[in-house]
Amino acid sequence: MRSVRAGRHGGLKLTASIAALIATQVGMPAFAQAQTVDSGAAQAQEPAEIVVTGSRIAQPGVNSPIPVTSVTVADLTRSGGVAIGDAMNTLPSLRPTYSQASSTQFIGTSGLNLLDLRGLGTARTLVLVNGRRHITALEGEFQVDVNTIPTDLLERVDVVTGGSSAVYGSDAMAGVVNFVLKRNFEGVRLNAQAGISDKADRGTYRLSGTVGKNFSEGRGNIAVALEYNRADLVTYADRPELTGAVDGRTQLQLVEDPTIDNNRPDRTVLNRVHSYGYDNGGNFIAYNGTSTRSCAIANACVANGFPRIFGFRPDGSLNEYNYGTDFRPAGSGNNQGGDGAVLNDRGTLVPQLDRYVANVIAHYDVSDAFRPFFEAKFVRVESFNQGTPTFAQGGGQGLVNGDPAALTYGTSVGIPIRLDNPYLQPAAAATIASLLPAGSQFFRLNRENNDIGTRDEFDRRDTYRFVGGVEGTFNTTWKYDFSVNYGEFHSTSRFYNNRVEENFYNAVDATRNAAGQIVCRINQTTVTDPNCVPINLLGDGSVSQAARNYVNTTSTRIGKATELDINANLIGDSGKWFELPGGPVRFAIGGEYRRETARYQYDALVKSGATFLNAIPDFNPTSFEVKEAYGELQLPVLRNLPFAQELTVNGAVRVADYKGATGTVWAWNAGGIYAPVRDIKFRVNYSKSVRAPTLGDLYSSPSQNFASVDDPCDVNFINKGRSTRAANCAAAGVPAGFVNDRTRAGTLEILSGGNANLTAETSRSWTYGVVVQPSFVPGLSFTADYYDIKISNVISPVEAQTIVDACYDAPNLSNQFCALINPRQSNGYFAAPALLQSSVNFAALRAKGIDLDLSYTRKVFTNDRITIRGLANYVQNRTDYPYLDTPDRPERVRGELNDPIWRANVSVDYTHGPLTLGYQVRYIGRQSITDWETQHDTNGVPALDPNYADVVYYPHVFYHAIRGTLDVNRQFTLYGGVDNIADKRPPYGLLGTGDGGIFDNIGRFMYIGATVKF
């Protein structure tokens, strides 16, 4: 299928325990050093009192009823990468939905790092900075690009599992990721790092400097941090051994006709795969004008009954294809070892990233009761990626006058070439004419337009954020804070080599004028467009620069978003009046006002639909506003008693009043901690949370889009669904034995838009677990936490594939999904646009699993220390319920690509004096090669297609890494390491992009760096 759009640790003053821990950790990826804040080691490291993410109440030590995993900035920056988001995505609890490698799958998202906790969606993971909201990186959505977080002022990251809307507000459905900045940085810290892969590409560079100063006898502090990061572009052509850019791609190839039940696997993994339907120099397929699989006339067929194919060589000559192993009889348009486009010779594995950060943080303690503070930053993130070129395939060919397959034009339809085109050599014209019906005047050129230019994309995102406020302590233990948080986001995108359709087809239609010159036909007798330059598409590399300039344009998009967030919080306890047996009752109350705006627009050509890029209207909705109030209570029931070392219960509630259809909603949670003895602690929490629809959910204008769809009424799929499918397809007017060669070969035009009537999503979540810190094994800590999250009224666009499947798999055509599909054409093909894809509150999501965390630190000999750390996640249930008319019908996600059942990270570090050596391994469990239901009996339903392929899973994979750190003296540290030592590649033709982003596509990577502190 083709798509129109191929589409950081600063600080010199550390507690002794923290410094000791950091000295023992060499940490390659972030996962290796993630610390569960309930561990004994963490209790020893933390200051006497902190605010635990997941609660507004400050607590002595770390004592959260909600599972919280804390990751230090040293962990996140101890690898060769320069994107913190990629390091975060190695944590087993986070799905790599938007890593750098997978960020290029949509228009305008190149370079983004968004976090997706539990795989429940980036929109359902609330990202905070110092417990406060942060301006978005996508206009109309409320999602934070982790690249905007300042690295050198970062102290730690807290990852909270379970709904936390009662404490932090909307969007905390799966949990919260809170980036905590340093409060008092004093001194100077400089860092430089560089890395490169063993293929001599993906160079990375990091330069940073942080300067901090205490003043007024320590009452005030100001710190300034500057950073620059760079990561180089890696394209498909840079890695032909992975992508098949030269010899042909590796993929799961259809080799058996799926309509024949012969109990043989329909697909197998093959290499050197080429596509008949495209050619870098263009090709002619002798088909009948309706289906590219049916011959035009008798002598237009090869022995297997499929059309002959001829390719244009660079000199313009026409040669019949080497067919290799022809898979057309199986229903595919591919071959192995023959001619045709490899399709992977253009495109991006990982985009170029440039990141500029300037951050200031300051506070001044006028008194304990009045401490003003201030944060300000500017971040510019620039990303560039190479896209795929424009392409063309299929469409009616042959006659013109009176022929139903008249000469027509389309964005990705085969390019019409008249037989009198002066670039068409006489011998080639004669061959083509002999394979078409008599009197034919044109043929369709199928082509991968590399020589016209790849559709590259440059994105610049500027983020401004200012936080000003005051906090203080009064009444001995009571605290307050008030802050005003304002952010602006500005984006500029440029889309290179975007084809102007009218110019392109004017240039394609070449002829000779009276003087014998080759001109555009529109200028043959009267010059109607003096800029028109005829274009020669018959052979790769024949396109002139003048023609490229005429048919291409650079399109632009500009956008802006703002956020105003005002917070007030009061935290106290009952110590002056009364106490429970476990201590004083503690509380927090507060309020919040938030206003968000967003807009974006493309240039006039794009908006008009005149280019190859989708027609996209302006987005300029009304503002988003919400007023909220909350309260939180903690009751220490018992403490320091036999079989009741601790018993604490807590609860929180929040009410929010949203502008628009959402109205007033409530969220709440309740939980508790019970420790019968010092060595073991149990915790439980129940949450009811909400997520309000975003501006994009509500107001995005219906715009042109494209989707890859398997037509359920196609003969290949009509027997692959429910028992009602065939009858419904017949009732819709689809002829028996219908072959939808258009959806097989290309994408389907649809409309996508918002829904102003959306209401809030709701969720309920349970988390309960155990923390074991045995006193008889000093340094050992183990935690196991179970989570169960269910989200209802899910706001989501119904996927095009879901719409068509659910329509024809329903009892009859009278259902809400069929209502979204425009009536089919009389010949069975979809209309254009085929359907409306809109967001509705219709679905449910379920995630259940167990997080395991083991840490062990032990001193050996006199000056040596060994540290072992392990994190794992077992997914018990990950299910979507995407069917509006059958809401109880599940669709399993657990075990599918990017959602393995097991993920684990383990590190072993050894410190001897100033030298630390470390080894880390990251494990990713096996994953199904297609939808789970296809090859597995699921929920009582037999496998839908047990012979889908001769393999069932992408195999499990281990990534190994090593690192060394040498403290030359108190001021100077050298470090270096190697990531992915075994140079593991993505399996079975995956490229480590898009849905395969869970796999590393860079391979073995080496880096070295130095840090200076004074």
Side-chain angles (χ1 to χ4, degrees), residues 257-278:
D257 187 345
T259 64
I260 301 174
D261 187 10
N262 55 14
N263 291 321
R264 291 202 298 263
D266 296 336
R267 294 164 181 80
T268 190
V269 178
L270 297 178
N271 56 19
R272 298 187 301 119
V273 174
H274 292 243
S275 294
Y276 286 137
Y278 302 94

Side-chain angles (χ1 to χ4, degrees), residues 664-869:
T664 301
V665 297
W666 293 79
W668 59 273
N669 65 38
I673 297 172
Y674 172 58
V677 294
R678 291 182 182 275
D679 293 1
I680 188 167
K681 176 165 57 181
F682 301 95
R683 56 190 177 192
V684 63
N685 191 77
Y686 179 80
S687 299
K688 294 281 288 186
S689 296
V690 297
R691 183 180 85 87
T694 66
L695 292 169
D697 292 331
L698 295 165
Y699 304 118
S700 59
S701 302
S703 59
Q704 182 188 41
N705 207 339
F706 294 84
S708 296
V709 171
D710 292 331
D711 185 355
C713 298
D714 186 299
V715 67
N716 273 358
F717 307 104
I718 199 164
N719 295 319
K720 301 299 183 182
R722 305 292 172 176
S723 59
T724 57
R725 180 176 287 190
N728 283 333
C729 289
V734 180
F738 175 64
V739 175
N740 195 333
D741 54 294
R742 298 178 185 177
T743 56
R744 289 186 185 184
T747 53
L748 191 66
E749 182 182 352
I750 64 174
L751 291 177
S752 298
N755 182 351
N757 296 315
L758 292 171
T759 58
E761 295 180 350
T762 60
S763 78
R764 67 110 182 105
S765 63
W766 280 100
T767 59
Y768 43 91
V770 60
V771 182
V772 180
Q773 301 164 329
S775 55
F776 53 87
V777 186
L780 176 65
S781 176
F782 173 76
T783 68
D785 287 289
Y786 178 82
Y787 60 88
D788 181 352
I789 305 170
K790 183 177 181 179
I791 305 176
S792 304
N793 295 324
V794 170
I795 300 167
S796 178
V798 185
E799 295 296 329
Q801 188 69 60
T802 299
I803 291 173
V804 295
D805 286 349
C807 168
Y808 298 108
D809 284 348
N812 53 61
L813 296 179
S814 297
N815 62 76
Q816 298 184 57
F817 289 98
C818 287
L820 297 173
I821 302 175
N822 289 323
R824 286 183 179 246
Q825 301 176 51
S826 59
N827 56 11
Y829 289 108
F830 287 108
L835 53 87
L836 174 64
Q837 184 182 53
S838 183
S839 297
V840 294
N841 294 95
F842 77 100
L845 308 173
R846 189 75 179 269
K848 298 166 66 175
I850 301 174
D851 286 324
L852 302 174
D853 188 346
L854 175 69
S855 64
Y856 180 63
T857 301
R858 182 176 179 82
K859 186 176 181 181
V860 293
F861 306 116
T862 303
N863 297 315
D864 297 2
R865 182 179 297 271
I866 187 170
T867 300
I868 301 172
R869 186 75 182 167

Side-chain angles (χ1 to χ4, degrees), residues 384-399:
F384 175 83
N385 75 87
Q386 180 189 84
T388 57
T390 60
F391 52 89
Q393 185 194 59
Q397 67 178 348
L399 304 177

Side-chain angles (χ1 to χ4, degrees), residues 873-911:
N873 174 240
Y874 168 73
V875 178
Q876 181 185 12
N877 184 340
R878 178 63 190 89
T879 303
D880 290 351
Y881 296 84
Y883 301 102
L884 186 61
D885 291 341
T886 53
D888 295 330
R889 177 181 162 194
E891 184 173 286
R892 175 166 164 162
V893 177
R894 175 180 183 254
E896 294 184 347
L897 184 58
N898 253 3
D899 294 282
I901 297 172
W902 277 102
R903 289 177 69 188
N905 310 322
V906 177
S907 67
V908 180
D909 306 312
Y910 191 89
T911 298

Side-chain angles (χ1 to χ4, degrees), residues 15 33 64 71 97 118 144 183 204 228 452 460 494 516 518 570 653 730 739 752 788 873:
T15 65
Q33 313 308 328
S64 172
V71 186
T97 304
R118 309 296 173 196
V144 179
R183 181 174 175 83
T204 63
Y228 170 69
I452 297 181
R460 186 179 71 199
R494 294 195 292 271
I518 300 177
L570 175 64
V653 64
V739 175
S752 298
D788 181 352
N873 174 240

